[in-house]
Amino acid sequence: MSAQVLLLMGSKNDWKVVKKARDVLEELGVEAEAHVSSAHRSPARTLELIAAAEAGGAKVIICAAGLAAHLAGVTAAHTLLPVVAIPIGGGSLGGLDALLSTVQMPPGIPVATVGIDRGKNAGLLAAQIIALSDEGLRGRLQAFRKAQTEAVAGDDGELV
C-alpha cells in the first residue's frame, strides 16, 4: 500500500459513509485506499492491512464501524499512526453505541472520533493531520475553507 490514508470499514455497507471521506481526500489530492476488514470477523486481515499501511508510508488510518465499533480501537492498539473513527449509524441505538464505543477508549490508546456518519469530516481531519508536514495540501485546505465561506455568503445573499 502506498496511499497516505488507509480507509478501513467493518462491512461493505459502511462504504456509503466512507466514500464521503475518500471523495473529500481525492478532491484535496490525498491518496486513499479502502478495504473491508472486521475487527471481529477478520482480525488477522485487519492487522495485515495496518502493517501494510505503515510499511507503505501511510500517515493516517480512518476506521468506520457500527454497533460495538471496535475496529478503530483495535487498529489504534496496533499502530502509532493517528486513527480517526467514524461511528456508523444503525442498530437499535441509531449509532449512539458506536459513538460511545469509540470516544470512550481507555487511557493510552487514543482514537479521534467524528460524529455519527460524518465521513466527510473524517477525511478533512485526516487531511489536516497530513497538512502539518505538507504545505501544498495546507494550501488546498485553505482554498477549500475559503470556498465554503463563499458558499455560505452566497446562500445568505439569496434570502428574500
Side-chain angles (χ1 to χ4, degrees), residues 138-155:
R138 183 176 178 82
R140 293 189 299 277
L141 277 164
Q142 288 171 330
F144 178 90
R145 290 273 182 103
K146 183 178 179 187
Q148 281 188 144
T149 300
E150 290 169 356
V152 170
D155 290 347

Side-chain angles (χ1 to χ4, degrees), residues 71-86:
L71 184 58
V74 167
T75 298
H78 288 91
T79 185
L80 293 177
L81 294 175
V83 175
V84 178
I86 308 170

Side-chain angles (χ1 to χ4, degrees), residues 6-10 18 35 37 46 49-50 61-64 71 75:
L6 172 61
L7 302 165
L8 290 178
M9 63 204 94
V18 175
H35 294 279
S37 190
T46 300
L49 288 165
I50 294 166
I61 300 175
I62 295 174
C63 296
L71 184 58
T75 298

Side-chain angles (χ1 to χ4, degrees), residues 55-108:
K59 305 287 187 215
V60 180
I61 300 175
I62 295 174
C63 296
L67 303 173
H70 290 145
L71 184 58
V74 167
T75 298
H78 288 91
T79 185
L80 293 177
L81 294 175
V83 175
V84 178
I86 308 170
I88 299 295
S92 61
L93 298 178
L96 187 57
D97 47 354
L99 175 65
L100 293 174
S101 178
T102 56
V103 298
Q104 294 294 340
M105 288 298 299

Side-chain angles (χ1 to χ4, degrees), residues 8-85:
L8 290 178
M9 63 204 94
S11 163
K12 70 178 180 179
N13 296 329
D14 302 336
W15 178 240
K16 63 187 175 294
V17 173
V18 175
K19 184 178 183 307
K20 293 174 185 175
R22 197 275 322 261
D23 289 349
V24 77
L25 288 166
E26 189 174 89
E27 180 182 340
L28 292 166
V30 177
E31 291 183 53
E33 185 175 307
H35 294 279
V36 175
S37 190
S38 169
H40 301 112
R41 296 181 302 270
S42 59
R45 174 177 166 72
T46 300
L47 297 183
E48 288 169 8
L49 288 165
I50 294 166
E54 288 180 326
K59 305 287 187 215
V60 180
I61 300 175
I62 295 174
C63 296
L67 303 173
H70 290 145
L71 184 58
V74 167
T75 298
H78 288 91
T79 185
L80 293 177
L81 294 175
V83 175
V84 178

